[in-house]
Amino acid sequence: MSMETERIFSEVERLKDEMTQALMELIRIPAIAPENGGEGESKKAEKLVQMLKTLGFDQILRFDAEDARVPSKKRPNILAYYYGEKRDETLWIVTHMDVVPPGEDSLWTVTKPFEPTVKDGKIYGRGSEDNMQSMIASVFAVKALKNLGIKPKRTVGLGLVADEEQGSKYGIQYLIKQGLFKPKDLVVVPDVGYADGSFMETAEKSVVWFRIRTIGKQTHASRPEMGLNAHRVGMQYALALDELLHEKYPAKDENFEPPASTFEPTEKEQNVDAVNIIPGEDVSYFDCRILPSYDPDEVLDAVSKLAADFEKKTGAKIGIELVQKTVASEPTDVNVKIVLMLKEAIRKTRGIEPKVGGIGGGTCAAYFRDINVPAVVWSTIDEMAHQPNEYAKIENIVNDAKIFAYLATA
Ligand SMILES: [Zn+2]
């Protein structure tokens, strides 16, 4: 390793406590999507802009997408630039500000979701790993360079975006529409990874979410024959659908983790308020991650066809409403510059051989691939995203920041 790299790495290590504090500050500001009853990312964005201003970035820009559903009416996106020797090539590190809701409160046994705490070298709190860990690592990679007065080889651009958890329409998709990214750019999306940092993701499955609304007829539970139990029909349909989709779409691709398509019944909306009422309406959801070899529209046709069969059989109405559909993008070529650079960085700094493959998706990387900007997804995490007691390991923040700094200067 060169002298300069060693200096950078020890500067990153010196910033460890500052990174920990900064990450904890971010956890204290929830940024939950309006779809989940939250007020969006505005407060967190204010904090981040403040933070970035003190670190000496060359340029900080905000691109706010309008969204009437949140109090500020805006979904903020921040781009922060630290200029390099080459201005025509930008290393982008894209992370997201929004977090998913904490879920069942009682399952948070280490600390409350938005009251971060440090225990055994880990920072606990909602959003700690997904995606504040990588956001802080990217910000402090630049800070380390700045502190040492090192101009990176290429411009480093940090993208801190909104709306990743709900499909990115107000986040990276909005930024891409502004024409800010070029095919020559090098994009890293640190939002998926293995515990040892050995996995680099260059492909994603199609993502399809839909709502199943079953309408029957509400009645007293002692007289079921007077109504039509929408909950029963909803469950029967969901189970039959689960089986059908797995049977109809069994293909495996060992480059993906997991290798098969996934079809999961997930969210369930509340129906009636009392045990002795037969529900007249039932709402549940499926999350499907479909291998690129299948057409997601064909899958949706199968979903609708089975719903029609169940309507005939039961007399209930079953409506299928699409919540999200992201068709798998063309995978990033495994021989492009950013993939090779990152491989080299992992090898050199960790002494391991990274594996390159696909995942269930969908990250911000998919939208870059759609406009032919190669993007690689990588980070070092314990895969605690969306779980109770989510945490980020402090050593992972430090070590990933080293890799970002390395990519900027290599
Ligand atoms: Zn994430």
Side-chain angles (χ1 to χ4, degrees):
M1 223 178 288
S2 75
M3 286 278 287
E4 187 187 74
T5 306
E6 273 172 34
R7 272 175 70 217
I8 295 169
F9 283 10
S10 56
E11 180 61 15
V12 170
E13 299 224 352
R14 201 184 63 79
L15 294 171
K16 182 166 92 177
D17 290 342
E18 234 179 284
M19 287 191 238
T20 305
Q21 290 310 317
L23 199 152
M24 289 171 74
E25 269 185 66
L26 293 184
I27 293 171
R28 288 192 191 99
I29 314 170
I32 294 173
E35 287 89 339
N36 294 320
E39 56 180 46
E41 304 83 356
S42 285
K43 285 183 185 151
K44 193 178 268 183
E46 299 293 334
K47 180 94 226 167
L48 279 161
V49 169
Q50 258 176 35
M51 196 187 280
L52 293 169
K53 275 187 179 159
T54 64
L55 300 189
F57 280 82
D58 291 307
Q59 200 181 14
I60 300 167
L61 301 175
R62 261 184 76 157
F63 294 86
D64 293 346
E66 279 175 37
D67 187 348
R69 300 171 301 172
V70 293
S72 68
K73 310 287 175 216
K74 283 175 199 145
R75 307 297 294 278
N77 295 284
I78 305 165
L79 295 185
Y81 295 83
Y82 184 47
Y83 296 141
E85 286 162 20
K86 280 193 253 174
R87 290 271 194 105
D88 60 337
E89 184 181 84
T90 303
L91 168 70
W92 288 105
I93 303 170
V94 178
T95 53
H96 63 88
M97 291 182 273
D98 55 314
V99 303
V100 293
E104 184 74 49
D105 244 0
S106 64
L107 296 174
W108 286 82
T109 50
V110 181
T111 187
K112 295 212 173 85
F114 300 109
E115 292 171 19
T117 193
V118 175
K119 202 181 156 193
D120 305 327
K122 298 165 182 160
I123 305 166
Y124 286 83
R126 175 54 86 225
S128 53
E129 178 189 285
D130 184 17
N131 193 209
M132 301 309 118
Q133 170 186 322
S134 296
M135 186 176 285
I136 290 296
S138 69
V139 169
F140 279 80
V142 171
K143 175 160 186 168
L145 299 177
K146 179 84 192 167
N147 285 355
L148 297 171
I150 294 172
K151 206 175 172 69
K153 219 173 225 166
R154 52 193 63 80
T155 294
V156 182
L158 304 189
L160 318 183
V161 303
D163 194 31
E164 193 276 336
E165 300 289 358
Q166 294 291 330
S168 288
K169 184 177 156 208
Y170 301 89
I172 198 65
Q173 293 201 61
Y174 181 79
L175 285 178
I176 283 175
K177 277 196 195 131
Q178 318 299 315
L180 296 155
F181 308 104
K182 297 173 207 71
K184 244 194 107 173
D185 289 344
L186 311 167
V187 178
V188 180
V189 178
D191 200 12
V192 162
Y194 283 4
D196 61 355
S198 64
F199 183 69
M200 293 165 55
E201 184 258 89
T202 53
E204 293 178 16
K205 296 172 184 169
S206 295
V207 179
V208 174
W209 296 351
F210 54 86
R211 185 187 293 120
I212 305 165
R213 190 183 298 277
T214 307
I215 310 284
K217 184 166 180 265
Q218 183 174 319
T219 188
H220 194 286
S222 66
R223 298 294 305 278
E225 76 281 8
M226 308 280 286
L228 176 57
N229 193 330
H231 184 34
R232 176 184 287 120
V233 177
M235 284 194 293
Q236 286 171 335
Y237 170 71
L239 286 174
L241 182 63
D242 186 349
E243 214 178 303
L244 173 93
L245 294 175
H246 285 98
E247 266 168 24
K248 213 169 149 117
Y249 304 103
K252 283 190 177 170
D253 180 342
E254 295 298 334
N255 291 317
F256 279 85
E257 184 67 53
S261 301
T262 57
F263 305 98
E264 292 293 310
T266 52
E267 192 178 345
K268 174 86 186 70
E269 282 183 16
Q270 199 200 330
N271 47 30
V272 290
D273 296 313
V275 180
N276 57 355
I277 303 172
I278 283 183
E281 184 172 355
D282 184 81
V283 180
S284 65
Y285 295 77
F286 262 67
D287 175 313
C288 309
R289 311 285 165 133
I290 305 162
L291 282 176
S293 54
Y294 293 124
D295 176 1
D297 284 326
E298 198 192 292
V299 174
L300 281 166
D301 283 347
V303 172
S304 298
K305 199 180 157 296
L306 187 71
D309 292 350
F310 263 72
E311 285 183 335
K312 244 185 247 152
K313 214 160 62 185
T314 63
K317 280 258 151 281
I318 302 179
I320 304 297
E321 299 155 17
L322 192 63
V323 177
Q324 198 208 141
K325 183 180 84 175
T326 308
V327 180
S329 322
E330 193 62 33
T332 289
D333 183 337
V334 294
N335 292 311
V336 293
K337 185 169 176 178
I338 185 60
V339 174
L340 299 177
M341 277 173 69
L342 181 57
K343 259 190 174 170
E344 165 97 349
I346 296 168
R347 266 191 218 118
K348 278 216 168 134
T349 61
R350 305 205 180 164
I352 52 173
E353 184 59 34
K355 170 185 153 59
V356 182
I359 59 151
T363 71
C364 289
Y367 303 102
F368 285 100
R369 291 173 189 145
D370 283 342
I371 56 161
N372 289 316
V373 176
V376 58
V377 181
W378 168 87
S379 64
T380 313
I381 51 174
D382 282 358
E383 301 191 69
M384 293 301 295
H386 302 202
Q387 296 179 42
N389 302 317
E390 177 182 350
Y391 64 78
K393 266 193 189 154
I394 294 170
E395 65 171 328
N396 288 341
I397 312 170
V398 173
N399 291 333
D400 284 8
K402 288 180 189 171
I403 297 240
F404 296 146
Y406 186 97
L407 291 175
T409 51

